[in-house]
Amino acid sequence: MVYLGGEGKPASDAEHHCPFCDIPKQSDKDSLIVSRGELAFAVLNLYPYNPGHLMLVPYRHVGDYTDLSTAEVAEVALLTQQAMAALRAAARPQGFNIGMNQGTVGGAGIAAHLHQHVVPRWGGDMNFMPVIGQTRVLPQLLADARDQLVEHWPRA
């Protein structure tokens, strides 16, 4: 509900109001960064759909996938593969949702800075809590999930 209410969302499309531009300025532990590449990074979602929900984010402040360079596209793809491998080793998901929402009407919470989601999925991971209790139950602290994924992240 904090996220839906707007806390932490940028007030404008300006780069200096962008949390995805600010995240890499912090320590990996404080920012929940799991891995840093040259052009993009992997970070845990503060408002996860499921435990281990990662986002792959280019460092460059860009909102549209077609504006990424070939090298940025390649690194986001590599981070996607690494994220899947780390999640499989750490949590044994049965599947994944992978994708990005483009533009506000496309569902992007922060439309001004492109980010791709990697959401691990398990059979029955949706239960009555989101419907009846209007909440999600996540069985792991974000800091613990980060440490576990860092431990299992493939080394280049």
Side-chain angles (χ1 to χ4, degrees), residues 35 75 77-87 152-156:
S35 181
E75 188 158 283
L78 175 61
L79 287 170
T80 300
Q81 291 178 324
Q82 292 173 332
M84 292 174 67
L87 284 162
H152 291 287
W153 199 266
R155 304 295 173 227

Side-chain angles (χ1 to χ4, degrees), residues 25-40:
K25 297 173 187 171
Q26 302 171 44
S27 75
D28 290 358
K29 209 164 193 61
D30 289 340
S31 64
L32 300 173
I33 288 177
V34 176
S35 181
R36 291 178 187 254
E38 289 183 36
L39 303 171

Side-chain angles (χ1 to χ4, degrees), residues 76-119:
V76 168
L78 175 61
L79 287 170
T80 300
Q81 291 178 324
Q82 292 173 332
M84 292 174 67
L87 284 162
R88 281 188 178 124
R92 293 190 216 88
Q94 296 169 309
F96 294 92
N97 290 126
I98 298 172
M100 57 183 78
N101 302 321
Q102 290 283 267
T104 304
V105 298
I110 301 173
H113 197 135
L114 175 124
H115 52 285
Q116 177 167 285
H117 297 265
V118 175
V119 181

Side-chain angles (χ1 to χ4, degrees), residues 34 43-55 83-84 86-88 90-97 117-127 130 136-146 148-149:
V34 176
V43 63
L44 279 168
N45 192 326
L46 280 178
Y47 308 99
Y49 182 81
N50 265 348
H53 179 169
L54 288 164
M55 294 181 296
M84 292 174 67
L87 284 162
R88 281 188 178 124
R92 293 190 216 88
Q94 296 169 309
F96 294 92
N97 290 126
H117 297 265
V118 175
V119 181
R121 299 299 306 268
W122 296 267
D125 60 16
M126 286 294 294
N127 58 33
R136 293 191 59 81
V137 177
L138 299 175
Q140 187 175 41
L141 296 173
L142 288 173
D144 293 342
R146 182 207 166 267
Q148 191 176 22
L149 288 170

